[in-house]
Amino acid sequence: MFWTQFCLPHIYRELKSSLLFSLIPEAPLFTSCRSVVMIHDLIPLRFTRRSPLLPYFHYYIPQVTNCAEHLICNSEATARDVVEWFGISARKVTVIWLGVDLERFHPMASQTENYFLYVGRHDPHKNLARAIRAFAQISSQNNHEFWLAGPTDRRYTPQLKMLANELGVGKQVRFLDYVSDAELPRIIACALAVVFPSLWEGFGLPVLEAMACGTPTIASNLSSIPEVAGDAALLVDPYDVFGLAGAMQDIVNDPNLRLQLREAGLSRVKQFSWMRTGQRTAEVLRSLL
C-alpha cells in the first residue's frame, strides 16, 4: 500500500499516463491518477469475526472506490454489494464475468471414481463443516469418499479433521492439501461430483472449472454462484445440511441426473471465456481513454 500511494503516482506522471488499470482494489488516493479498479468481493465485510482484512475493507477500499473513475466487478452479486455497502452509483460499475481455460479444464477419458470433491480454502465461510456433516449422513450407505483439495490452514483445518473423526468419517474425508495446477483438472474430471457449498463468493471459479470438466456440481444458491451455474448444477441452501446431504445422495443414486448435469454444464461453460473477459475489459478501458 505504501508503494501504491507514494511511488506509483510518480511512475504514472513520468509515463504521462491517462488511465491506471488496477486488477486489485488498490489505487493511489487523492492524486491526479485516473483509475479503473477491479473489486472481486466484499466477503470480509460479511464475515467479520476473524478477518484480519476488516480495517482494509472498512476504511481503505471505500476511498478507492470513491476516487476511481470506474469499477469492474466479477459478478452482479459483487456489484450489488459495492453499490449497497459503499453508496456507489450503479452507473459507475461494470460487471464482467471471469473465464475458464478449456485447454486445461475439459472432460477426460478417465473413469469416474467414488469421491465427492471440494476445491478451495478452508475458511469458515466456505462452509466445509456443514458439507462434512452432510457427507456423514450418506456415508454409511455407500463406500464413497469426500476429498478436500486446497491448502491446509492451521486455524481451521484441525477443527474440520476433528469434526470428521467425531462423525465417524475420518477415514473417508481426505485432506489433500495443495493440489498442483497440472493435477487439479484430472481430480476434478474424475470426481463423482464437485461440492461447493460456500456461504458467499465473488464469482466461484471451482463451479465453472467443474462444469468445463463435465463433472456434476452441487453448489450454494447464494451470492454469485447461481450466476455462474445457471441451471447446470444442483443449487442448494448452504445452511441446510439435510438438503445438501439429499443432493449428494441424488448424485449417488441417479446416473441419469449425473448425465443431465454433465451435458448442461458443458453447454453452460460455453458462455465463459478469458477472451470474452479480456475483450469486455478492453472496451471499458477504451471508453475512458
Side-chain angles (χ1 to χ4, degrees):
M1 288 179 63
F2 181 90
W3 180 88
T4 299
Q5 299 309 312
F6 299 103
C7 300
L8 184 54
H10 293 293
I11 298 173
Y12 179 94
R13 286 191 290 269
E14 287 175 3
L15 295 175
K16 298 181 180 179
S17 302
S18 61
L19 191 66
L20 171 70
F21 177 38
S22 177
L23 281 81
I24 57 175
E26 294 186 7
L29 299 175
F30 313 117
T31 73
S32 61
C33 295
R34 297 172 60 237
S35 61
V36 175
V37 174
M38 291 190 72
I39 308 291
H40 300 279
D41 64 69
L42 300 183
I43 288 172
L45 293 178
R46 288 186 171 275
F47 304 94
T48 61
R49 188 163 59 105
R50 296 184 180 180
S51 175
L53 294 174
L54 193 54
Y56 175 86
F57 275 80
H58 257 311
Y59 303 110
Y60 178 59
I61 291 186
Q63 295 186 67
V64 171
T65 58
N66 277 297
C67 291
E69 188 122 340
H70 201 76
L71 305 174
I72 294 176
C73 295
N74 300 151
S75 64
E76 295 285 354
T78 296
R80 286 193 298 270
D81 278 355
V82 169
V83 170
E84 293 171 8
W85 286 77
F86 298 152
I88 300 296
S89 169
R91 293 190 298 272
K92 188 177 175 178
V93 183
T94 297
V95 174
I96 302 178
W97 283 345
L98 302 181
V100 62
D101 183 354
L102 296 180
E103 292 187 2
R104 286 188 60 220
F105 296 96
H106 54 80
M108 298 183 184
S110 304
Q111 185 174 358
T112 299
E113 299 182 27
N114 69 334
Y115 61 86
F116 292 94
L117 175 68
Y118 163 81
V119 179
R121 301 191 309 273
H122 295 171
D123 302 60
H125 77 273
K126 297 295 186 178
N127 202 31
L128 294 179
R130 288 189 181 89
I132 292 172
R133 291 184 184 278
F135 174 74
Q137 291 187 16
I138 71 165
S139 63
S140 61
Q141 304 171 37
N142 51 63
N143 64 344
H144 292 85
E145 296 181 342
F146 188 14
W147 294 8
L148 281 66
T152 57
D153 188 319
R154 59 187 176 85
R155 298 170 297 175
Y156 312 125
T157 308
Q159 300 172 27
L160 295 173
K161 290 182 177 180
M162 186 182 303
L163 175 63
N165 287 328
E166 290 173 353
L167 295 172
V169 292
K171 294 183 179 179
Q172 293 165 271
V173 178
R174 295 181 54 189
F175 291 82
L176 305 185
D177 207 333
Y178 175 78
V179 174
S180 70
D181 287 346
E183 181 68 5
L184 182 60
R186 187 194 69 80
I187 69 168
I188 292 177
C190 293
L192 183 66
V194 164
V195 179
F196 197 69
S198 179
L199 300 178
W200 208 264
E201 291 292 319
F203 184 74
L205 270 175
V207 173
L208 193 56
E209 292 166 352
M211 293 191 299
C213 290
T215 302
T217 305
I218 301 168
S220 165
N221 64 0
L222 298 180
S223 68
S224 62
I225 298 175
E227 291 180 55
V228 177
D231 60 357
L234 292 181
L235 298 179
V236 299
D237 179 351
Y239 292 95
D240 182 1
V241 173
F242 295 103
L244 183 55
M248 297 171 83
Q249 191 65 65
D250 288 342
I251 289 290
V252 170
N253 292 341
D254 193 342
N256 289 328
L257 174 62
R258 296 197 298 271
L259 180 60
Q260 175 187 336
L261 290 173
R262 171 187 171 87
E263 293 176 347
L266 291 173
S267 175
R268 174 73 177 172
V269 82
K270 294 176 182 177
Q271 300 183 40
F272 301 85
S273 76
W274 286 118
M275 179 65 73
R276 184 174 302 170
T277 301
Q279 289 171 341
R280 291 209 58 207
T281 302
E283 290 170 4
V284 171
L285 299 178
R286 278 196 296 267
S287 72
L288 295 170
L289 288 174

